[in-house]
Amino acid sequence: FYGIAPPLIACVSATLRLDLPRSAIDRSPACLRRELRDLQWNPHRHFAHGDKATDLLRERQEAIKTSLTLRDKDRRNRVARREAFRRIRDLNQKILETSNEARERKNELRRLAERAERENRIAAGREYFFALHSPQAMERLLSALPQEREFRV
């Protein structure tokens, strides 16, 4: 365009990740947070029959039947419906209290998964100084470029 030959230079960008160890994560922290929320609001899903919460689970089922009956037959009795709702919530809390160790175990898994996710994000970063990479890794990167001999300095 200007009638002159461009200089023989090139600006090259590439991603080369450091060979840092990464943690294996069975379940994502988001998945574990959902499971904890489900444990909080639906504790009946997380207990097998024969647990120490069996009586509470049975009582909860009866409270749900009462709530459904009130909803279907006596919609205007808001006080009774609200009381049935509170009864179910109270029973959920009591069921949870019978198994604090399950909740703590799941919380610990969530904390470990969050930590591993943070460490993996750091290990997978692309902004590390090129001299931190091994000479072999840099050679592999250069050899992958087209006409790689022309990029040597």
Side-chain angles (χ1 to χ4, degrees):
F1 181 75
Y2 292 106
I4 57 171
L8 296 175
I9 61 169
C11 179
V12 178
S13 175
T15 296
L16 181 62
R17 303 199 191 281
L18 285 174
D19 189 24
L20 295 173
R22 293 189 174 81
S23 301
I25 301 174
D26 293 342
R27 289 178 292 188
S28 72
C31 177
L32 289 164
R33 281 191 293 274
R34 280 191 302 275
E35 288 177 18
L36 277 163
R37 185 182 188 290
D38 191 60
L39 180 63
Q40 173 79 29
W41 299 108
N42 300 296
H44 60 284
R45 294 180 185 168
H46 302 273
F47 292 93
H49 294 289
D51 281 338
K52 51 190 170 184
T54 303
D55 292 336
L56 291 170
L57 290 169
R58 195 174 308 113
E59 202 174 328
R60 180 185 182 277
Q61 197 59 38
E62 289 171 16
I64 289 171
K65 284 180 188 175
T66 303
S67 174
L68 292 173
T69 302
L70 285 169
R71 186 185 70 192
D72 292 341
K73 296 187 176 162
D74 197 7
R75 272 184 131 17
R76 292 183 184 209
N77 191 349
R78 298 184 88 190
V79 173
R81 289 179 61 210
R82 189 177 304 119
E83 184 55 39
F85 173 76
R86 284 190 182 133
R87 179 75 180 132
I88 294 167
R89 295 277 299 267
D90 291 343
L91 287 166
N92 279 348
Q93 190 59 39
K94 286 179 182 175
I95 293 168
L96 270 176
E97 289 168 3
T98 64
S99 183
N100 277 334
E101 61 273 355
R103 188 169 29 173
E104 284 305 313
R105 190 171 46 251
K106 205 166 284 277
N107 258 324
E108 181 62 22
L109 285 173
R110 178 194 50 82
R111 282 190 290 272
L112 290 171
E114 285 173 349
R115 181 179 178 184
E117 191 177 67
R118 278 191 308 273
E119 290 172 356
N120 286 347
R121 197 171 23 254
I122 291 169
R126 348 170 335 146
E127 302 299 324
Y128 291 107
F129 181 56
F130 82 95
L132 294 174
H133 296 278
S134 69
Q136 295 84 9
M138 296 301 291
E139 285 296 323
R140 279 194 310 274
L141 176 65
L142 283 176
S143 66
L145 296 172
Q147 301 172 347
E148 54 97 9
R149 286 187 189 89
E150 296 177 18
F151 287 104
R152 301 288 176 179
V153 266

